[in-house]
Amino acid sequence: MAKNKGQTFVFGAIILMISNLAVKLIGAFLRIPLTNIIGVDGMAFYNSAYSIYVSFYMISTAGIPIAVSRMIATANSNNLHLEIKRIFKIAYSLFFTIGAVGTAVMMIFADKFARSAEIPDARLAMLAIAPTIFFICISSAYRGYFQGLQDMMPTAVSQVIEAVGKVGIGIFCAVYFTAKGYPVHVVAALVILGVTIGVFLGMVYTAVIKMMYNSSKEYKENLQNAVLEKQSCRSSKEILKELVIIAIPITLASSIMGLTNTVDTMIMPGALMTSGITQKAASAFYGTYSSMVIPLLNLAPPFIYPFAISAIPAISTALAKNDTRNINRHIESAFRNCAIIALPCAIGMGALSRRIVDFLFKEDEIVSGNTVYYARELAGPALRTVAVSIFFLGVISITNSVLQACKKEKYTIISTTSGIVVKIIATWFFSTIPGIGIIGSAIGTVLCYLTIMSLNLLFMEKTVGVFPNIRRVFLKPLTAGVCCGICAVAVSYALDALSIHAKLVTLLSIACAALVYVVVLIMLKGISRDDVLMMPKGDSLCRIMDKFHLLEKGEE
């Protein structure tokens, strides 16, 4: 049984990883050409509205789906099917109310939000995306339900549907209405309408899947047996109380990225104007940072989040059974997978930051008085500065999940609040210094995530009694990551000397660096036997890797 549960955890993580990969690739397909079509000025309107929406979205949905997932996982492990049904009913009602209120608030205060961000023409885009809050709330209720049953497929498919709708409508609107000569802030609003339609379609999909599950033989039999056995079920008041108690700290902890982006939206343009940059240039600087730097920073964490999300019901189930061995296995596996993914991404992106920006985006001029700035020249150093945050974010996601699953989520409030305070102070302080520009916000983001990660690790050790083994978890991926970074720089300089096209140099450098990373990691036996055994065809993979002595023995 333990092995099967472990496989469920990894299969769930793999499903979510594939969907997140698809979503991020689709999202990049939107953001990159969109930036090239409507420019950094248009992206300032788009991203300011989107960041405000993300804040409402995170406040509305970040904590409750995880709380629902954890509560349903615990009830399911004890075969309490009547309680599972009641948990979902209460969660759905709560989501419906929150979604309706969130949408109303964003629509009513859209003009005030836009003016506070020093980008008043973003109001139309904020109105266009406001209904998305309601749709995503309903969708999140269904996602939390299925995640609690350790079925990640509905979440994965609905995310892809949302992303496809966003891209299809967004690119069409950008091209068509720009060609028609519409003002750029109107085009941005029409583009962001694609997000609303995509999320609506995702919500419809999850609702249909839930109705199909309700009509299944398994579901009906489980409920009939529960009634016949006269299973006990907590009152709605007790369930709602636990749901809220769990959800509030999780919401704050899960809102990190959205909150940091909102801080940039509300503080960055004003701080840059204080440094002597004109309002229009400050808006374009924000557009550069939010469209050329942040999307690239966001590419890596979704590969890590699936392990964190899948770990919550897995650890909760193990806790309910007092299965200490599986608790420790799930935690260490999540940390190790985090390190294996995050470290090379952080090092590689830092090493090739300017080349990656040049590869993806066209140049854009930004005029402030008599000074001309170039967007890619601004974005490259900012991306290099913030790249280390990829690793910090990965560790934060795992530590949050461990603390949440072990019912220590209140400590994430302290760490997240501390990090956001650091972000606000650092972003304002550095951004007001003439000449630093968007690097000031990048420094603020790095210090924010470093603060949260450090406090989370401290709280996890003190309250849960768990701390990742440095040698097994971090040292080997770090060594392989350093080799990866050195290879990337060396190959790029060598190919430059041969006068090869710059874009091809970037692609070859990334490919060589990735190959070096995998080879070095395997040579160092950086992947444990437990990790491979928990993968599909794990036994067969172990036998093959054992022939070449490539595996480190897992803990007994």
Side-chain angles (χ1 to χ4, degrees), residues 207-404:
V208 170
I209 294 299
K210 182 64 169 68
M211 286 190 289
M212 291 173 61
Y213 180 69
N214 286 354
S215 63
S216 69
K217 183 179 179 181
E218 177 190 3
Y219 178 80
K220 291 178 179 178
E221 287 182 351
N222 286 336
L223 286 182
Q224 287 173 358
N225 291 335
V227 172
L228 291 174
E229 295 169 5
K230 297 181 179 180
Q231 285 184 2
S232 62
C233 183
R234 289 181 296 168
S235 68
S236 298
K237 184 178 180 180
E238 288 176 314
I239 291 173
L240 180 60
K241 181 180 178 181
E242 182 181 355
L243 195 63
V244 172
I245 290 173
I246 295 173
I248 290 175
I250 294 176
T251 296
L252 185 56
S254 301
S255 303
I256 304 167
M257 190 169 288
L259 290 172
T260 55
N261 292 341
T262 302
V263 170
D264 289 328
T265 301
M266 305 305 293
I267 291 180
M268 189 177 174
L272 290 170
M273 289 167 61
T274 302
S275 72
I277 296 174
T278 64
Q279 182 179 16
K280 185 177 181 180
S283 176
F285 270 46
Y286 167 75
T288 299
Y289 183 74
S290 59
S291 60
M292 292 187 179
V293 178
I294 295 301
L296 296 178
L297 173 66
N298 292 347
L299 282 175
F303 291 93
I304 303 164
Y305 292 157
F307 292 99
I309 294 171
S310 296
I312 293 174
I315 294 172
S316 296
T317 300
L319 279 168
K321 297 181 177 181
N322 293 317
D323 188 350
T324 304
R325 182 176 180 275
N326 263 333
I327 293 171
N328 292 332
R329 285 181 64 208
H330 289 318
I331 291 174
E332 181 152 315
S333 179
F335 269 113
R336 186 161 42 245
N337 284 304
C338 162
I340 289 171
I341 296 169
L343 284 169
C345 290
I347 294 171
M349 192 168 291
L352 297 175
S353 56
R354 178 58 195 271
R355 292 178 182 275
I356 293 172
V357 170
D358 288 347
F359 178 83
L360 295 173
F361 301 101
K362 71 176 184 179
E363 191 60 275
D364 211 339
E365 287 188 358
I366 303 172
V367 180
S368 178
N370 296 323
T371 306
V372 178
Y373 299 93
Y374 295 93
R376 294 193 304 194
E377 289 183 2
L378 296 172
L383 180 60
R384 185 182 307 116
T385 302
V386 82
V388 69
S389 296
I390 294 172
F391 173 67
F392 297 159
L393 275 169
V395 176
I396 289 168
S397 68
I398 303 300
T399 52
N400 278 346
S401 293
V402 172
L403 290 168
Q404 291 161 14

Side-chain angles (χ1 to χ4, degrees), residues 453-500:
M453 181 192 72
S454 301
L455 290 174
N456 271 7
L457 286 169
L458 176 64
F459 293 143
M460 191 178 71
E461 183 182 24
K462 296 295 185 183
T463 62
V464 182
V466 175
F467 195 87
N469 184 291
I470 300 298
R471 182 187 67 83
R472 277 202 310 268
V473 174
F474 297 119
L475 184 58
K476 293 179 180 180
L478 176 60
T479 302
V482 171
C483 293
C484 158
I486 293 172
C487 173
V489 174
V491 170
S492 63
Y493 277 112
L495 294 178
D496 279 341
L498 299 176
S499 299
I500 296 176

